C-alpha cells in the first residue's frame, strides 16, 4: 500500500458516520473471476480451512488447516507444492493452526493460536525459522508498506488492553499499543465469542477493527487520539444500541452468537478504498451458517457501498483474503462422494460507492 | 448443511466456537474401554474377532461428534492408517447425523464401522484407542478428543516392527495391562457426575483441574438430545477474563482445550442451577 493510498484511507476515517442511511444496492459489483479445485489426497488435504493467503510473488495459495494443524501451499493450478509445520508442541509445530497465515518477504508466517506463537518458515523449502510469541488473540498480520522488517499484528488483548502489535522482524520483538473498546471489557460474551482484532497501517496512523464491533478506529501509534467510523448496516444484522446490555440479558449461546455480525477482515483496496468482510452467522446443530457481506468504503469522505453479498457455494465457513481488487475465498463442498476444496476469486468492479455516510464521531475505544 | 448458490454459506464449525461445559444428566456408568472390543458391529464382527495372532489390530472407537468438536490425534491416526491400511479400524458408537456425516466426509473419515447395539449407554467415554492381538485387548485407553498425543500411536511409531512393546500380550490379565479411562479428575463437576449441560458458549470456560490437563469440555450431548435454545440454561458461569487471558489457551478453533497451571483454580467458577444440583 502506497503512502498515497494510506493517506486516503486515513482521510476517510476523519469523517466516519453514525446512524447512516441504508445504502441502496452497491455500485461496486462482485464479479466471479475463476475457481481452482485443489488436488487433495487421503493424507494431504484441508480438513478445515482456517485462513487463506495469496503469495504476492507467485500467486500461490496458502491455507492453514485447523484439522491437520499445518499450512498447505497450492500453486495456481491447485497442485499441492509444500506443507509447512505439523501438529505438535515442538518448534515449528502447531498445537492449533490458527486464523492467520501470511507471506512476508520470503517467509511464510502462520499463527499457532494454541500457543499464541507466530511460526515463521522459509517460503521455498519450508524450513522452520523462528517462533515469535504474541499477546491476545490474533486476527491479522499486515506488512508495513514502508518498512520491510515491520509487520503489524491485529490483536485483541483484554488483559493489557492492546489492539495492535508492531513486530520488528529483525529483532523478533513485538511492541504493543492501541486500545480495546470498552464494550470488550464489560462483556465476557463479546470478548469470548468475537475475539479477533484486525489492523491496517494507514500513513501515520493505524486502522483497527474488532470482530464484534461495527466501528473502525484510527489510532496514532502507539496510542493517541482516535477517530471512529461506524460502518452502517444494509443487509447484515445491526448491532443493538447497547451490545453489552443485550448480551448480558441473553444466556443462550446460539442467540449470543447470532446477535451481531462478525467482522472477518479489514483490507486495503486500490485507490485508497477499504474493504470490510462481515459474516452473519447462525448455529445449526454442529455447524454454523453464514452469510458473507463485503463493504467497500470509498476514499472520498463518507461514502460507501455497504453489504454486498459474496456469492459463495460452500458447506464450510469460507476464509477470505484480498489482493488488489480481487477477493479470494477458500470453500468446501461436501457430498456423498466426499469433500472438494476450492479457491474462488471475485473481482470488485465498478464503483464509485457514492452512498453518503453521516458525519464522524470522535470517540475511541 | 447444504450448498447454496446465494451468499449464504454453511460453516462446519467443528463446534469449535461452542465451547461449553458439560455438567449434567445421566446416571449410567460409562462403558469400560476394553468392552468395545467384544461389542458387535453392524456387519456381525467384533473388533476382537478381526485381530489375529499374526496380525495385530489397532482399533479406535469414536462417537461421531468426537471428530468435529476437537480433532485430537485423528489426523495422525489417519496418516498412520494410510501406511498400515489393514491394521487400523475406526469404529463408531452410533450412526452420525447428517451434519456430522458432512463433517466426517470433510475429514475423509468413512463411518462404515458402527456398533450394532441400539441400546448402548449414551454416556460413553470416547475416543478409545485399543491394540488387539489374537482376539484379546492388550491395550485400551480413553484418549480425550482434545489430546495432542496418543501414547499408543507414539509407541507404534517408535516400535514399528515390535508392537508387543505397546501392550502386555495375552494372557496377561486385562485388568493389569489395560489402562482404562481417564485419570480420575479432582474436580467435583466432571465427570464424577454424569450430568451434562452446555453451560455457555464462549471459549475460556472451564474448571481448572490441574496442571496440563485438557480442561474444557464441549457440549458432548448427542445432537438429537439438546435444543440449542437450552444452551446456557443449566448454570451460571463467572469468568475472570483477566486471569483467563493470562493463560495460554487454545482459541475457539479448538474449543476443548484450555490449559491451566497450578494456581489457576478459581479463574472460572461454574454454579449449577438448583434443579441441576438436585439431579
Amino acid at each position: 500500500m502506497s503512502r498515497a493510498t494510506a493517506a486516503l484511507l486515513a482521510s476517510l476515517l476523519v469523517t466516519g458516520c453514525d446512524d447512516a442511511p441504508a445504502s441502496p444496492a452497491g455500485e461496486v459489483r462482485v464479479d466471479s473471476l475463476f475457481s481452482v479445485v485443489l488436488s487433495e489426497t487421503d493424507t494431504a488435504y484441508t480438513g478445515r480451512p482456517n485462513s487463506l493467503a495469496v503469495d504476492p510473488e507467485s500467486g500461490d495459495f496458502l491455507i492453514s488447516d485447523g484439522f491437520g494443524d499445518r499450512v498447505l501451499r497450492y500453486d495456481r493450478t491447485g497442485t499441492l507444492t509444500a506443507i509447512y509445520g505439523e501438529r505438535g508442541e515442538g518448534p515449528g509445530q502447531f498445537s492449533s493452526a490458527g486464523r492467520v497465515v501470511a507471506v512476508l518477504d520470503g517467509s511464510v508466517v502462520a499463527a499457532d493460536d494454541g500457543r499464541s506463537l507466530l511460526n515463521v518458515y522459509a517460503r521455498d523449502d519450508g524450513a522452520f525459522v523462528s517462533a515469535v510469541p504474541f499477546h491476545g488473540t490474533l486476527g491479522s498480520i499486515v506488512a508495513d508498506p514502508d518498512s520491510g522488517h515491520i509487520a503489524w499484528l491485529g490483536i485483541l488483548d483484554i488483559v493489557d488492553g492492546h489492539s495492535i502489535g508492531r513486530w520488528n522482524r529483525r529483532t523478533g520483538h513485538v511492541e504493543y499499543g492501541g486500545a480495546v473498546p470498552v464494550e470488550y471489557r464489560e462483556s465476557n460474551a463479546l470478548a469470548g465469542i468475537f475475539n479477533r482484532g484486525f489492523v491496517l497501517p494507514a500513513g501515520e496512523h493505524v486502522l483497527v477493527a474488532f470482530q464484534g464491533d461495527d466501528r473502525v478506529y484510527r489510532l496514532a501509534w502507539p496510542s493517541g487520539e482516535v477517530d471512529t467510523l461506524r460502518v452502517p448496516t444494509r443487509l447484515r444484522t445491526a448491532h443493538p444500541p447497547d451490545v453489552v446490555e443485550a448480551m448480558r440479558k441473553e444466556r443462550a449461546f446460539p442467540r449470543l452468537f447470532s446477535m451481531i455480525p462478525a467482522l472477518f477482515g479489514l483490507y486495503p483496496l486500490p485507490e485508497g478504498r477499504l474493504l470490510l468482510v462481515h459474516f452473519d452467522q447462525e448455529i445449526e446443530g454442529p455447524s454454523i451458517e453464514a452469510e458473507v457481506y463485503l463493504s467497500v468504503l470509498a476514499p472520498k469522505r463518507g461514502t460507501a457501498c455497504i453489504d454486498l453479498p459474496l456469492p459463495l457455494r460452500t458447506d464450510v465457513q469460507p476464509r477470505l483474503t484480498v489482493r488488489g481488487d480481487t477477493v479470494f475465498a477458500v470453500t468446501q463442498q461436501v457430498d456423498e462422494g466426499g469433500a472438494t476444496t476450492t479457491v474462488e476469486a471475485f473481482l470488485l468492479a465498478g464503483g464509485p460507492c457514492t452512498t453518503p455516510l453521516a458525519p464522524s464521531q470522535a470517540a475511541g475505544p | 448443511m447444504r450448498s447454496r448458490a446465494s451468499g449464504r454459506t454453511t460453516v462446519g464449525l467443528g463446534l469449535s466456537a461452542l465451547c461449553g461445559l458439560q455438567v449434567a444428566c445421566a446416571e449410567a456408568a460409562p462403558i469400560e474401554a476394553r468392552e468395545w472390543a467384544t461389542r458387535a458391529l453392524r456387519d456381525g464382527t467384533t473388533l476382537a474377532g478381526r485381530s489375529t495372532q499374526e496380525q495385530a489390530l489397532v482399533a479406535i472407537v469414536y462417537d461421531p461428534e468426537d471428530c468435529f468438536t476437537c480433532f485430537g490425534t485423528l489426523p495422525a491416526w489417519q496418516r498412520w492408517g494410510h501406511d498400515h491400511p489393514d491394521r487400523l479400524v475406526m469404529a463408531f458408537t452410533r450412526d452420525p447425523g447428517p451434519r456430522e456425516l458432512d463433517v466426517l466426509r470433510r475429514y475423509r473419515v468413512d463411518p462404515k464401522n458402527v456398533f450394532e447395539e441400539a441400546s448402548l449407554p449414551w454416556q460413553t467415554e470416547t475416543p478409545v484407542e485399543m491394540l488387539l492381538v489374537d482376539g484379546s485387548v492388550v491395550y485400551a485407553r480413553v484418549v480425550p478428543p482434545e489430546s495432542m498425543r496418543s501414547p499408543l500411536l507414539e509407541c507404534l511409531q517408535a516400535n514399528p516392527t515390535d508392537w508387543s512393546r505397546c501392550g502386555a500380550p495375552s494372557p496377561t490379565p486385562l485388568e493389569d495391562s489395560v489402562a482404562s479411562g481417564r485419570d480420575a479428575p479432582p474436580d467435583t463437576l466432571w465427570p464424577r457426575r454424569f450430568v451434562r449441560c452446555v453451560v455457555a458458549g464462549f471459549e475460556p470456560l472451564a474448571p481448572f483441574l490441574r496442571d496440563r490437563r485438557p480442561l474444557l469440555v464441549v457440549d458432548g450431548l448427542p445432537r438429537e438430545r439438546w435444543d440449542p435454545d437450552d444452551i446456557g440454561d443449566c448454570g451460571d458461569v463467572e469468568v475472570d477474563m483477566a486471569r483467563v487471558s493470562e493463560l495460554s489457551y487454545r482459541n475457539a478453533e479448538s474449543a476443548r482445550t484450555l490449559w491451566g497451571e497450578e494456581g489457576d483454580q478459581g479463574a472460572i467458577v461454574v454454579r449449577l442451577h438448583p434443579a441441576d444440583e438436585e439431579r
Side-chain angles (χ1 to χ4, degrees), chain A residues 74 196 259 309:
Chain A
Y74 295 90
R196 300 286 164 172
M259 182 177 290

Side-chain angles (χ1 to χ4, degrees), chain A residues 107-187:
Chain A
S107 298
V108 170
V109 180
D112 180 353
D113 283 346
R115 296 183 296 173
S116 297
L117 290 176
L118 292 172
N119 281 343
V120 182
Y121 305 89
R123 178 181 59 183
D124 294 334
D125 63 10
F128 172 65
V129 176
S130 63
V132 178
F134 62 86
H135 297 172
T137 52
L138 184 68
S140 65
I141 301 177
V142 183
D144 188 278
D146 301 317
S147 301
H149 64 285
I150 298 295
W152 297 87
L153 312 180
I155 60 170
L156 177 65
D157 180 359
I158 297 291
V159 176
D160 295 323
H162 291 150
S163 54
I164 306 169
R166 186 178 182 274
W167 174 26
N168 184 325
R169 297 185 58 221
R170 284 184 188 152
T171 65
H173 182 64
V174 181
E175 297 176 85
Y176 294 93
V180 172
V182 64
E183 292 89 345
Y184 271 93
R185 294 183 176 279
E186 295 178 348
S187 172

Side-chain angles (χ1 to χ4, degrees), chain B residues 25 48 68 82 90 108 218 270:
Chain B
C25 20
F68 54 82
H82 184 264
M90 294 183 180
R108 275 66 171 177
V218 185
V270 179

Side-chain angles (χ1 to χ4, degrees), chain A residues 40-43 45-50 66-70 86-89 94-99 113-116 136-137 157-159 187-189 191-193 195-196 251-257 279-292 309-319 332-341, chain B residues 1-19 67-68 71-76 78-79 82 99-103 105-109 145-149 198-204 212 223 226 228-254 259 273:
Chain A
E40 299 181 294
T41 69
D42 287 345
T43 55
Y45 64 92
T46 302
R48 184 157 173 257
N50 255 353
F67 177 68
D69 282 322
R70 54 189 181 174
E86 61 184 357
R87 185 177 177 84
E89 295 186 313
F94 293 97
S95 64
S96 177
R99 292 277 186 87
D113 283 346
R115 296 183 296 173
S116 297
T137 52
D157 180 359
I158 297 291
V159 176
S187 172
N188 286 335
I193 299 172
N195 61 359
R196 300 286 164 172
R251 298 180 63 210
F253 176 68
R255 288 195 287 269
L256 282 169
F257 195 79
F279 288 7
D280 256 355
Q281 303 182 110
E282 187 174 348
I283 291 175
E284 290 289 338
S287 303
I288 293 178
E289 291 190 347
E291 295 178 3
V292 181
L310 186 64
L312 294 175
R313 188 176 179 83
T314 178
D315 289 323
V316 304
Q317 188 176 37
R319 296 302 190 200
Q332 284 188 320
Q333 288 188 271
V334 184
D335 56 29
E336 292 180 358
T340 303
T341 307
Chain B
M1 187 161 59
R2 293 270 66 87
S3 302
R4 302 158 199 232
S6 70
R8 188 165 188 84
T9 63
T10 304
V11 176
L13 175 66
L15 261 232
S16 45
L18 285 179
C19 307
C67 304
F68 54 82
F71 312 129
T73 58
L74 176 56
Q78 284 180 312
R79 286 191 283 273
H82 184 264
R99 286 192 171 89
E100 291 171 335
L101 188 57
D102 277 354
V103 174
R105 284 170 172 157
R106 286 172 47 206
Y107 300 159
R108 275 66 171 177
V109 175
E146 69 277 9
S147 177
M148 293 285 293
R149 299 174 57 190
V198 177
V199 175
F202 47 95
E203 64 183 74
R212 300 301 290 175
R223 288 293 156 266
W226 59 266
D229 287 341
D230 290 338
I231 294 177
D233 286 340
C234 59
D236 293 327
V237 180
E238 292 181 1
V239 180
D240 182 339
M241 283 298 297
R243 293 190 60 188
V244 168
S245 295
E246 290 171 357
L247 308 176
S248 172
Y249 58 87
R250 301 182 69 176
N251 69 1
E253 296 301 314
S254 303
W259 304 100
H273 286 332

Side-chain angles (χ1 to χ4, degrees), chain A residues 332-356:
Chain A
Q332 284 188 320
Q333 288 188 271
V334 184
D335 56 29
E336 292 180 358
T340 303
T341 307
T342 304
V343 174
E344 300 181 60
F346 301 87
L347 179 68
L348 298 177
C353 294
T354 56
T355 301

